[in-house]
Amino acid sequence: MVTLAENIALVQERIAAAARRSGRRPEEITLVAVTKTVSPERVEEAVRLGLKDLGENRVQELLAKQPYITGATWHLIGHLQRNKARQVWDKVALIHSVDSLELARELDRRATAAGGRVNILVEVNVAGEESKFGLEPEAVVPLIRELTGFTGLRVLGLMTVAPLVEDAEEVRPVFRRLAALRREVEALHLPGVEMRYLSMGMTNDFEVAIEEGANLVRIGTAIFGTRG
Ligand SMILES: *Cc1c(COP(=O)(O)O)cnc(C)c1O
């Protein structure tokens, strides 16, 4: 049986190789270990093995697991309903999935009232899939312009989930488009907006995503195995 340590080492090697192919150093890429459906014991083991950034896609599961794990940085990577913003805004280092003005406004309201700030990424549905969350690419700049007035938010980049395909090469244009969009937003030099992160790439496509500029990759299956 392949151990967690071996999986992690292999994923890290593949990340490093892809980073070098894109002319970057491996340290410039942050691996977010996606722990949905993974037991707290196994998550704990992963943290001990050096995975400090953890991603959950559901608020309930994140909040339930968090008390068992020490020394980790949490990311919310899945869809966030506005009425759950209150429960999670101050429990995570980064919310990858902001996709509406209403949600952004709610997060801003919570953070401002508490004298804090929430770090967010704007989720983009680059391929226009019906089943996916995220803004259409054309809506990104208008939304981010609106967010510049929100003192409780720090806009730190963009995120996408690419379509699931056999050959990751097929979704290279999706990643390329998000990278271009990031540069477009960057060039506007909007106050309170810093396009630091490009969150893209999962088990099936993370190497292509890194080659196209990803610096946050969200990987579950390649680390923990297939979800039951
Ligand atoms: C589950 C999930 C991942 C990780 O997917 P794997 O294919 O298991 O690596 C990444 N991002 C999001 C938003 C997810 O929900």
Side-chain angles (χ1 to χ4, degrees), residues 34 36 57 77-78 159 161 202-204 218-222 227:
V34 177
K36 62 190 183 201
N57 68 335
I77 62 173
M159 178 272 224
V161 177
M202 306 169 31
T203 291
N204 285 300
R218 312 175 308 267
I219 301 179
T221 308
R227 286 178 290 274

Side-chain angles (χ1 to χ4, degrees), residues 14-26:
R14 289 170 61 190
I15 289 173
R20 291 195 195 94
R21 285 198 295 279
S22 75
R24 288 176 297 162
R25 288 173 291 119

Side-chain angles (χ1 to χ4, degrees), residues 32-36 55-58 76-79 96-97 123 159-161 164 199 201-206 217-227:
V32 177
V34 177
T35 55
K36 62 190 183 201
E56 284 283 343
N57 68 335
R58 295 161 143 227
L76 183 69
I77 62 173
H79 183 64
H96 292 226
S97 47
E123 180 171 359
M159 178 272 224
T160 198
V161 177
L164 185 59
S199 170
M202 306 169 31
T203 291
N204 285 300
D205 55 22
F206 70 89
V217 289
R218 312 175 308 267
I219 301 179
T221 308
I223 295 170
F224 299 105
T226 307
R227 286 178 290 274

